[in-house]
Amino acid sequence: MLDLKDLNVAAAASRGAFIELEHPVTGEPLMDADGKPYGIEGLGEDSAEVRKIDRKHADKRAEKMRKGNIDAALKQDALEQDRIERLTVATKSWYLPPLNGETLPFTPANARRVYGGEDLAWIADQFEKGMRDRTRFFSTGSTR
């Protein structure tokens, strides 16, 4: 019998999931030489941590608007920085291909570089898409 407690999206999103990366042009899974998929271990958008950062950003924009500073509240640069912070908070770890021949360990500074870099925008896009896919947080194992 179905019980709504079994559909707790917040709890599932807080457990996290491994979101495999795909080639930005071909859509093929990205894997290392041993066949291990590259990807990001992260929280879903329904997790308490992500919802908290979303509220923080919404409150910040609302406060600027209340003060009559609508332009500052909606500046693209500020919105992009909020997105980078959101993705950084949602990331628990990652396994990425080398960048310029070097392994890039997960740190908040490296996350800001990856998620904010125009050259790597596809990684942020794929991770964000994965965060929205509730089905992946109810299953075990990796998913694309």
Side-chain angles (χ1 to χ4, degrees):
M1 177 174 167
L2 178 66
D3 192 307
L4 288 176
K5 73 171 176 54
D6 298 327
L7 301 176
N8 184 336
V9 295
S14 292
R15 283 191 296 272
F18 186 76
I19 298 166
E20 293 180 14
L21 294 175
E22 298 174 346
H23 189 283
V25 177
T26 67
E28 294 293 316
L30 293 180
M31 300 197 182
D32 67 13
D34 295 326
K36 181 178 176 183
Y38 290 112
I40 300 168
E41 181 73 31
L43 304 174
E45 70 176 6
D46 294 309
S47 71
E49 295 94 329
V50 174
R51 291 174 57 97
K52 180 179 178 181
I53 201 74
D54 287 345
R55 283 191 299 276
K56 174 187 161 189
H57 293 155
D59 289 347
K60 181 175 67 175
R61 283 190 295 280
E63 182 62 24
K64 287 178 181 177
M65 293 175 109
R66 272 192 295 278
K67 291 180 177 179
N69 199 348
I70 294 172
D71 290 340
L74 301 177
K75 269 194 170 306
Q76 185 61 32
D77 185 57
L79 295 173
E80 287 175 14
Q81 292 306 312
D82 287 351
R83 179 184 187 222
I84 293 165
E85 183 180 17
R86 180 181 201 257
L87 294 174
T88 300
V89 165
T91 302
K92 295 304 168 196
S93 66
W94 64 27
Y95 180 58
L96 298 180
L99 179 62
N100 297 321
E102 294 186 32
T103 299
L104 195 64
F106 172 73
T107 65
N110 284 340
R112 287 188 292 276
R113 159 70 178 101
V114 169
Y115 298 140
E118 292 180 12
D119 54 334
L120 302 172
W122 60 273
I123 295 175
D125 292 345
Q126 288 185 26
F127 181 42
E128 197 166 47
K129 180 180 176 185
M131 288 173 59
R132 288 190 303 265
D133 181 5
R134 289 180 174 134
T135 59
R136 77 177 61 243
F137 296 97
F138 280 96
S139 62
T140 57
S142 65
T143 55
R144 284 188 274 272

